[in-house]
Amino acid sequence: MSTTGQTITGNTSTPLSNVPRRSQAELGPLNPCELEIDLFCKGLRIDPSCTLEADARFITRTRAGLGSGLELVIPGPIKDIWVNVPVEEDFAQQSCYELAYDCGQYWVKDARRDHRYAVRIPPEPGWYTRCTSRGTPMHKVGVLQGTYLGIYISNSCGFWYHSPAVNCKFCASGLNVGVNEVARKDVDDVVEVVRAAKEESGTTFVHFNSGFQGNRDMDEAAPYVQAVKRVGMLVGLQLIPTLDFEKYDQLIDLGADHFSFCYEFQNPEYFARFLPGKQQLVGQQTFFRALEYTAEKLGKGACSGEIIAGVEPIEDTLRAIDYITGIGAFPTVCIFRPTIGSDMEQWPSPRYEDMLIVFRHLYEACRRNQIPIDVTPNIEVSLIVQPGDTRYLAPKTVASSIYHAKMALARWLARPYFAWKMRPKS
């Protein structure tokens, strides 16, 4: 957890000097994961030939704002990759990538060279336009981000209403919750939306998150967990952590399958500067202790440490990945997005070359620590480069081949287990 001792002056993320990399000029066609990373870094322009109003999920700013892009799918031989591409931010307007529609197919075209990539645009779910029995628009209760259902359960985040405000600098939840989505979700509304997502969109995983609620986060989440398990879904929780570990035990007893902890930066100086509320009212060590407790309680790969790549020095990001995988947790790494309305709106987007280093390292850390990847059925998260996506970056070695064979076997063996976990509970 030690600091690098560097002065924080801006986006100082730089590649490690001893890691080889390809320059943009040397790049041939990108594989699906490389393209995913570059789209996160550069965004995408939309050609007038596109008819996204009819073909795509509508773009909405909910929760922290990180899902405020265009959902698309990059097909590939290993797996199809879901990605929520920035299209409205300033940096996306200067992108070398353009989405165009030609001969009945959507293409991502690279203006730097004569390359184009076939992509799919997932349609808007039919239930988005319906209302619950209470009259609440379903899309204001939960949204699909990839194939999973994301629901923000509480009234925004207390960090925004602290005096003075101590909100996380990259976040826009205080601008979105209560405007683009319902501020506090009714349990019955949530159940109706979850059932619609399960039956009509094939969703298997519901992810609840919440801003700072003054140590009431776990208690407020409990009724939602209990209700959704009656529908028969996997449930994940991303809440402000506590050192009262009995609260995690209680949620596990109710059926919680997964916990994730957003501590964003391994470097304590960056944590303090960009996450003032978490620094003052929670503490970085609380995130670490809660992650370690739940990871040991639920087993390897069942909990996540969530970080942002592209702001703190890259060495710290690599250390974060090593720490998370070293305790048996799942590394959830989000490429920094200068979200509209956030305090960091004008910060530069990360460089592709730097992020390629990060995700090659992520793959190796998962392999080295035997973290299960792409084992849980039908969970594709469009906001991040998933560890399973990084199989496209894997070196062709005996070790990687053995790891992939183990994961394939684990997926097959886990089918009855997840069928049991997703049964409706009385």
Side-chain angles (χ1 to χ4, degrees):
M1 318 308 176
S2 63
T3 178
T4 62
Q6 297 182 18
T7 302
I8 306 174
T9 57
N11 190 338
T12 56
S13 177
T14 55
L16 300 179
S17 59
N18 61 342
V19 178
R21 61 180 186 177
R22 294 186 295 170
S23 69
Q24 291 286 351
E26 297 171 323
L27 289 174
L30 304 181
N31 68 42
C33 185
E34 291 171 336
L35 178 60
E36 175 189 28
I37 293 169
D38 213 17
L39 287 172
F40 273 129
C41 292
K42 295 182 174 64
L44 183 67
R45 294 177 290 110
I46 308 298
D47 184 80
S49 62
C50 300
T51 56
L52 298 179
E53 296 83 1
D55 298 337
R57 298 177 183 176
F58 68 84
I59 296 172
T60 182
R61 299 191 178 282
T62 58
R63 305 195 289 174
L66 298 179
S68 56
L70 174 68
E71 296 269 317
L72 59 80
V73 180
I74 306 170
I78 298 175
K79 62 173 293 189
D80 293 350
I81 290 181
W82 290 69
V83 54
N84 184 281
V85 185
V87 294
E88 295 188 338
E89 289 78 5
D90 289 343
F91 74 95
Q93 311 312 311
Q94 312 302 320
S95 177
C96 59
Y97 291 110
E98 181 180 63
L99 182 71
Y101 187 79
D102 183 34
C103 298
Q105 170 71 56
Y106 278 100
W107 303 88
V108 169
K109 297 182 178 181
D110 186 347
R112 297 167 299 181
R113 57 187 73 86
D114 189 22
H115 294 153
R116 66 177 190 170
Y117 306 90
V119 297
R120 297 199 311 271
I121 304 295
E124 181 178 296
W127 55 267
Y128 265 30
T129 58
R130 300 205 303 268
C131 291
T132 68
S133 57
R134 298 177 68 253
T136 307
M138 285 191 171
H139 73 269
K140 290 198 171 189
V141 176
V143 293
L144 294 181
Q145 294 176 327
T147 62
Y148 84 99
L149 181 66
I151 300 177
Y152 195 101
I153 61 177
S154 63
N155 276 322
S156 192
C157 172
F159 292 150
W160 285 79
Y161 308 107
H162 194 272
S163 183
V166 289
N167 56 283
C168 299
K169 301 304 181 183
F170 65 88
C171 179
S173 64
L175 308 176
N176 298 329
V177 178
V179 178
N180 300 321
E181 61 177 291
V182 178
R184 184 176 292 279
K185 276 64 175 183
D186 179 83
V187 173
D188 291 335
D189 280 351
V190 167
V191 168
E192 288 188 43
V193 170
V194 168
R195 185 171 283 112
K198 178 181 181 179
E199 295 175 355
E200 299 176 34
S201 301
T203 302
T204 60
F205 181 65
V206 181
H207 193 236
F208 291 108
N209 72 334
S210 168
F212 179 69
Q213 303 298 315
N215 206 33
R216 299 188 306 273
D217 310 63
M218 306 288 172
D219 300 324
E220 292 187 356
Y224 296 98
V225 174
Q226 192 170 33
V228 169
K229 294 305 287 188
R230 292 185 184 131
V231 177
M233 295 279 269
L234 299 172
V235 177
L237 296 166
Q238 181 191 100
L239 308 171
I240 297 295
T242 178
L243 295 179
D244 184 358
F245 295 152
E246 287 186 2
K247 290 182 180 291
Y248 294 109
D249 296 339
Q250 293 165 2
L251 288 169
I252 292 170
D253 290 341
L254 289 175
D257 302 288
H258 178 269
F259 294 99
S260 55
F261 299 90
C262 286
Y263 71 93
E264 276 87 35
F265 305 117
Q266 192 80 11
N267 186 314
E269 293 181 18
Y270 282 74
F271 183 92
R273 177 182 177 185
F274 295 109
L275 317 174
K278 292 181 178 180
Q279 169 72 11
Q280 297 174 29
L281 303 177
V282 184
Q284 190 183 41
Q285 290 298 317
T286 301
F287 284 85
F288 294 149
R289 301 292 81 79
L291 174 58
E292 291 161 8
Y293 177 81
T294 53
E296 183 175 4
K297 187 85 176 180
L298 288 178
K300 185 170 287 189
C303 294
S304 298
E306 302 204 12
I307 58 173
I308 295 174
V311 177
E312 68 181 344
I314 193 172
E315 293 85 353
D316 291 310
T317 302
L318 303 188
R319 274 194 286 273
I321 293 169
D322 289 338
Y323 162 69
I324 293 166
T325 55
I327 63 172
F330 196 82
T332 301
V333 182
C334 177
I335 294 176
F336 170 70
R337 183 180 302 197
T339 306
I340 293 175
S342 71
D343 293 338
M344 299 179 73
E345 180 178 350
Q346 297 305 317
W347 271 58
S349 183
R351 299 173 67 248
Y352 165 78
E353 293 85 356
D354 290 359
M355 296 301 98
L356 194 58
I357 293 170
V358 166
F359 289 103
R360 284 175 175 163
H361 185 86
L362 185 148
Y363 170 82
E364 287 298 334
C366 287
R367 183 198 59 77
R368 186 171 60 251
N369 291 284
Q370 296 296 293
I371 303 299
I373 58 176
D374 283 351
V375 171
T376 311
N378 193 33
I379 300 181
E380 298 295 340
V381 184
S382 62
L383 307 187
I384 64 168
V385 179
Q386 293 192 143
D389 300 350
T390 65
R391 285 187 287 160
Y392 283 105
L393 309 179
K396 290 180 171 56
T397 64
V398 173
S400 63
S401 297
I402 293 174
Y403 179 48
H404 297 164
K406 286 182 177 179
M407 293 304 104
L409 179 61
R411 281 191 290 277
W412 184 77
L413 293 174
R415 289 177 183 174
Y417 170 76
F418 284 115
W420 175 77
K421 292 286 282 184
M422 289 186 287
R423 76 198 190 287
K425 293 182 68 174
S426 61

